[in-house]
Amino acid sequence: MAQSLFSHDPNPIRDAATVILLRKMQDATRVLMGQRGKSAVFMPGKFVFPGGQVDPQDYDDAEPDMINPVCRARLEIDATPALASALLVAARRELLEETGLSLNPSTDMRFVFRAITPPERPRRFDARFLVCDACDVMDNLDDFSRAEDELTHLQWVSVAEALTLDLPFVTRIVLAEVKALVARSGPPETVPFYDHRSPVGRITSLG
């Protein structure tokens, strides 16, 4: 398995994938969010998108994917091709585990944001945010009965409604990007990267 580029850190940064499902409804385009447990070590009580760290088996399960070549190239910045594939597998797996929803194998994910957790946090992640259309979900979009218990209060909310929830700082930034993506297809012109490997974070662009 490929190792994280930041594994020398005393609090290692783990590679992770986050899924943003977009569901176009009559009143608005909605996103799927859930609330982390109040006793969770990382971001307790916060509303987040489904996602989590890459596991060793995600490398073994990786297969040729349908991601756009532009998005694939951006995923491979600071990552090996094997890690890029594992991130896509992790995204599907985490979505299924946390919501009970499974994606069509041919789903074309869009890589839209990357963020690294600031230092001095109990856990740190190098998270890649991937957008998928809810029409690629093979299950009932309102049935979360197969979900594990990591997220509660799973719900489809508009961007405006999401901004009223208790959100992590980075999630608020990502929602602004999501709002701009609703009206377009294909990969974004650039992928914002909230780089917090050092004590002072900065936003750059990939691509």
Side-chain angles (χ1 to χ4, degrees):
M1 184 185 80
Q3 297 294 317
S4 168
L5 295 178
F6 315 113
S7 58
H8 61 277
D9 193 300
N11 186 8
I13 300 173
R14 303 176 172 97
D15 293 299
T18 298
V19 180
I20 304 169
L21 275 183
L22 297 183
R23 183 181 185 183
K24 295 181 180 179
M25 303 181 72
Q26 289 186 341
D27 61 338
T29 297
R30 296 177 175 269
V31 295
L32 181 59
M33 303 192 78
Q35 187 178 30
R36 292 183 58 79
K38 297 291 179 65
S39 61
V41 175
F42 186 70
M43 295 184 179
K46 299 290 187 181
F47 278 86
V48 297
F49 304 114
Q53 73 180 48
V54 175
D55 288 345
Q57 68 266 25
D58 295 328
Y59 288 86
D60 299 330
D61 295 340
E63 298 178 354
D65 53 80
M66 300 291 291
I67 194 168
N68 182 285
V70 173
C71 291
R72 160 64 82 164
R74 291 170 178 171
L75 268 182
E76 292 183 6
I77 295 174
D78 291 338
T80 64
L83 173 55
S85 294
L87 285 162
L88 300 174
V89 174
R92 295 173 182 275
R93 176 182 54 74
E94 288 286 342
L95 179 68
L96 178 60
E97 291 175 359
E98 295 188 349
T99 71
L101 302 180
S102 52
L103 289 171
N104 187 309
S106 63
T107 300
D108 186 5
M109 299 183 182
R110 288 188 285 167
F111 176 35
V112 300
F113 200 90
R114 179 182 172 192
I116 294 179
T117 311
E120 299 181 1
R121 298 295 172 89
R123 290 181 183 169
R124 301 185 69 195
F125 296 96
D126 185 347
R128 282 76 162 189
F129 292 75
L130 300 152
V131 164
C132 304
D133 196 307
C135 69
D136 287 318
V137 172
M138 298 188 293
D139 310 293
N140 182 338
L141 290 171
D142 297 306
D143 181 7
F144 307 121
S145 61
R146 293 191 300 162
E148 297 180 2
D149 59 1
E150 188 167 346
L151 294 181
T152 61
H153 300 100
L154 286 161
Q155 56 191 288
W156 294 97
V157 294
S158 67
V159 172
E161 291 170 331
L163 290 171
T164 68
L165 301 173
D166 185 7
L167 303 173
F169 171 71
V170 167
T171 304
R172 291 187 178 277
I173 300 176
V174 174
L175 282 168
E177 296 298 319
V178 169
K179 189 174 182 180
L181 283 171
V182 168
R184 63 173 294 162
S185 60
E189 292 183 5
T190 61
V191 174
F193 175 20
Y194 184 55
D195 187 353
H196 222 315
R197 284 172 282 195
S198 62
V200 178
R202 63 192 184 113
I203 294 183
T204 59
S205 293
L206 307 175

